[in-house]
Amino acid sequence: MATKTYARTISDAAVTAIRTAPQKKMQPHILYFCIYSNNTYFYPFNFKYQNMSNELKDLQPQILWKRFCDLCAIPRPSKNESKAVAFVREFAAAQGLDCTVDSVGNVIIRKPATAGREGAPGVILQSHLDMVPQANSDVRHDFNKDPIKARVDGDWVKAEGTTLGADNGIGVAAALAVLEAKDVAHGAIEALFTVDEETGMTGANHLQAGILKGSIFINLDSEEEGELYIGCAGGMDALITVPCTEEAPNREDRAYKISLSGLKGGHSGLDIHLGRGNANKLLTRFLWKAAHRYGLRLSSMEGGNMRNAIPREASAVVTVPASETAQLKNDAEEFLTVISAELSGVEENIVFTVTPEALPATVMTASSQNNVLNTLYAMPNGVIRMIADKPDVVETSTNLAIVQSDGKQVNIACLLRSSVDSAKDDLANAMTALCALTGSNIKLNGSYPGWKPNFDSNILKTMKQVYRRLYRRDPKVKVIHAGLECGIFGKNYPDMDYVSFGPTIMHPHSPGEKVNIPSVAEFWKYLTATLEAV
Ligand SMILES: [Zn+2]
């Protein structure tokens, strides 16, 4: 899902410091104990962060949840994972395990096979260290500094008004737990912790060929317990700029801020087929009509702030002739009724407001505004095609994620996804054709391949057998309409046998993110049983 692929995600200085810091060889037999007091959590390697919730530590399997707790205390938004890299690296030192950190901050920890399993194929357990930083607008949270306030709510663990980071913190915690576990039989383990999965796949894109020795690759980054993923969609970013010329507004006009919020949003791959509202598209619909009916003029517009999330909120500053203010408010009420009816059963908390605003210094010229609103209105959005022989799986989709105007132009970011590369290119061409019509520029970048499903994979066979033995039924085998790093690893490791699975996580990439506690226990049971069976 590369928007802008940065060569390094964490600062050079930080990487050099981490890589060159003397690796303290910890004596595994010396028991390290952690001091729990008032939620302050001290690691022997003087790693301390406020830690939120003891109730999480009491969850089972404790060996996994305690690591997830640690991660909740570590700020790790995409492209700022240095603290998480340091934590994992020091964890390896504390376990007396071999550890390497590559030039972009990917960490690999190696654990030898347990007794009698030396002949087993080597297994890579892969997860990503970064998390999506999303908070509700009424929550003040600095994702570069503040810990995640995780808490138990029935069968779920949630955060308070922010993303939880179970995507992919539970995967990271599971891999650390396997490295620490003394009671799990397994062949040689390479635990790979990548950086910047969410905003550019930087870690996956930079992992060098020949570093990993194993032959089985288990990705721990999918989000439905009981489902095995053997394929995923590729992606590409379309960055569109619509040039704008501005002029002074009519001094007689009235100015308003029009805001739409309360939508569910969600993951623009996993949730794109759920028919949720896209705040940018809905607001455009209203503005386009008002502009054509009574000369509404657009001064600025913005909506969405995550390239891989369905936008939940959007707003615009506009001017209308004084004689049309009542019409504008009537139209806004009517519009809310219309879209609430259209989206009923899916979106129940839509808020659409028109509030007086100071007259802006400038508005877009009529022709610029036309280009902007026509581009946004005509831009493809949502599901384009389902997979023919798998009618419940999306093949190709696009999400109009971000709109931002800066006076000189309007920037639009869309994320295209498809498990068929040619279909993705076709969609990109259609967008390019539209931009040609409205005098807009389009840049397509960060394209990454999908992960082609191999239904005859050995690890798939093994995991089906293990699942049948554990649960007396078959696991669901699926292709996911989202980006998994497996598609990219396939470039440098084409012969690896890939599979992905994980616990049940709902509403990833949004403040509603939550992980199901019983599914984590099943995820752990299935993972350790699989390692013993490989
Ligand atoms: Zn993830």
Side-chain angles (χ1 to χ4, degrees):
M1 294 194 251
T3 308
K4 316 175 201 90
T5 42
Y6 297 81
R8 304 191 181 291
T9 53
I10 54 179
S11 68
D12 294 8
V15 170
T16 323
I18 294 169
R19 295 187 67 203
T20 53
Q23 187 164 12
K24 298 198 272 325
K25 264 252 152 286
M26 303 280 181
Q27 313 306 322
H29 61 273
I30 298 175
L31 268 183
Y32 293 107
F33 57 92
C34 309
I35 305 168
Y36 291 80
S37 63
N38 317 347
N39 291 338
T40 304
Y41 198 34
F42 287 88
Y43 257 104
F45 38 85
N46 61 38
F47 179 92
K48 69 173 185 285
Y49 271 95
Q50 272 304 323
N51 202 310
M52 288 300 128
S53 136
N54 269 330
E55 57 182 342
L56 254 72
K57 284 202 190 79
D58 302 332
L59 297 175
Q60 293 302 332
Q62 212 184 24
I63 190 170
L64 184 156
W65 280 107
K66 70 179 177 185
R67 296 299 165 220
F68 183 68
C69 250
D70 297 334
L71 286 165
C72 286
I74 301 168
R76 51 196 176 89
S78 304
K79 294 192 169 42
N80 191 357
E81 301 98 338
S82 58
K83 295 187 184 85
V85 170
F87 164 69
V88 170
R89 188 165 185 288
E90 295 193 8
F91 170 90
Q95 302 294 325
L97 296 172
D98 172 58
C99 174
T100 53
V101 181
D102 74 6
S103 63
V104 292
N106 296 321
V107 184
I108 299 171
I109 303 177
R110 294 180 176 81
K111 184 184 182 186
T114 52
R117 301 302 313 279
E118 295 77 2
V123 173
I124 290 105
L125 295 179
Q126 185 262 324
S127 54
H128 63 84
L129 290 171
D130 60 314
M131 65 172 282
V132 168
Q134 279 275 287
N136 284 330
S137 48
D138 59 353
V139 171
R140 290 177 59 76
H141 188 92
D142 179 343
F143 283 91
N144 290 312
K145 269 203 352 277
D146 303 333
I148 298 295
K149 294 194 183 90
R151 59 185 174 79
V152 173
D153 179 358
D155 271 352
W156 298 87
V157 170
K158 297 176 174 176
E160 299 194 8
T162 71
T163 34
L164 171 65
D167 171 13
N168 192 203
I170 295 289
V172 172
L176 294 174
V178 168
L179 294 171
E180 183 177 352
K182 303 289 180 275
D183 56 354
V184 176
H186 54 73
I189 298 280
E190 289 164 294
L192 167 61
F193 303 93
T194 53
V195 292
D196 188 32
E197 187 269 349
E198 300 288 4
T199 65
M201 298 274 191
T202 309
N205 276 312
H206 284 81
L207 185 77
Q208 298 309 304
I211 292 181
L212 300 173
K213 305 301 179 219
S215 60
I216 293 171
F217 194 107
I218 301 181
N219 166 281
L220 304 171
D221 187 28
S222 36
E223 289 137 6
E224 196 72 46
E225 192 260 321
E227 297 187 350
L228 296 177
Y229 290 91
I230 58 165
C232 75
M236 177 155 62
D237 289 279
L239 305 178
I240 296 131
T241 52
V242 189
C244 283
T245 316
E246 296 191 309
E247 61 189 15
N250 179 333
R251 312 285 331 149
E252 309 311 310
D253 283 4
R254 299 284 180 278
Y256 295 93
K257 182 171 187 178
I258 302 177
S259 303
L260 187 145
S261 61
L263 299 176
K264 284 192 182 132
H267 189 288
S268 68
L270 300 174
D271 302 326
I272 199 75
H273 62 294
L274 299 175
R276 292 180 181 171
N278 177 303
N280 291 325
K281 290 296 279 184
L282 289 169
L283 181 58
T284 297
R285 177 174 163 184
F286 179 82
L287 296 172
W288 191 92
K289 205 170 168 190
H292 283 73
R293 289 187 65 192
Y294 41 81
L296 170 143
R297 300 298 294 270
L298 191 55
S299 174
S300 65
M301 181 175 175
E302 60 176 34
N305 58 11
M306 289 302 298
R307 55 183 282 288
N308 49 13
I310 299 170
R312 293 173 287 116
E313 303 172 0
S315 63
V317 173
V318 303
T319 65
V320 294
S323 58
E324 300 292 351
T325 53
Q327 183 67 53
L328 177 73
K329 290 173 185 154
N330 288 348
D331 284 355
E333 274 169 36
E334 187 201 318
F335 182 69
L336 180 56
T337 311
V338 167
I339 60 173
S340 300
E342 286 178 8
L343 296 167
S344 70
V346 181
E347 302 279 3
E348 305 299 349
N349 308 307
I350 306 175
V351 179
F352 193 60
T353 58
V354 176
T355 47
E357 185 80 14
L359 199 68
T362 60
V363 293
M364 296 176 195
T365 60
S367 63
S368 295
Q369 173 175 305
N370 265 342
N371 289 337
V372 168
L373 293 177
N374 286 341
T375 305
L376 287 167
Y377 210 171
M379 189 60 68
N381 186 70
V383 173
I384 305 296
R385 192 170 186 275
M386 304 298 279
I387 294 182
D389 59 356
K390 286 196 174 312
D392 61 338
V393 181
V394 180
E395 177 212 85
T396 303
S397 75
T398 175
N399 174 56
L400 205 164
I402 303 171
V403 175
Q404 263 153 3
S405 58
D406 64 7
K408 289 188 287 313
Q409 61 192 30
V410 173
N411 304 302
I412 303 167
C414 299
L415 175 50
L416 293 66
R417 300 177 193 267
S418 184
S419 46
V420 179
D421 290 347
S422 58
K424 186 176 69 184
D425 297 339
D426 171 44
L427 178 56
N429 293 340
M431 289 177 169
T432 305
L434 167 62
C435 289
L437 287 174
T438 61
S440 312
N441 309 305
I442 183 168
K443 251 189 1 204
L444 301 164
N445 66 19
S447 181
Y448 63 91
W451 164 25
K452 225 168 179 18
N454 169 11
F455 291 90
D456 301 323
S457 129
N458 287 329
I459 185 63
L460 176 62
K461 284 195 198 92
T462 302
M463 290 190 76
K464 279 182 175 176
Q465 284 157 4
V466 172
Y467 196 86
R468 234 175 266 129
R469 180 163 48 79
L470 290 174
Y471 303 105
R472 304 258 165 278
R473 65 179 192 275
D474 279 333
K476 292 195 193 100
V477 176
K478 289 202 162 183
V479 174
I480 190 172
H481 189 62
L484 285 173
E485 293 152 296
C486 302
I488 296 178
F489 293 126
K491 277 190 290 188
N492 283 341
Y493 295 90
D495 307 325
M496 207 65 92
D497 193 0
Y498 294 91
V499 69
S500 174
F501 79 120
T504 300
I505 298 172
M506 292 189 67
H507 317 311
H509 299 194
S510 81
E513 180 184 4
K514 59 182 183 179
V515 62
N516 180 269
I517 297 166
S519 83
V520 172
E522 296 309 323
F523 164 58
W524 174 251
K525 190 163 83 180
Y526 190 21
L527 174 60
T528 52
T530 296
L531 292 175
E532 285 168 0
V534 162

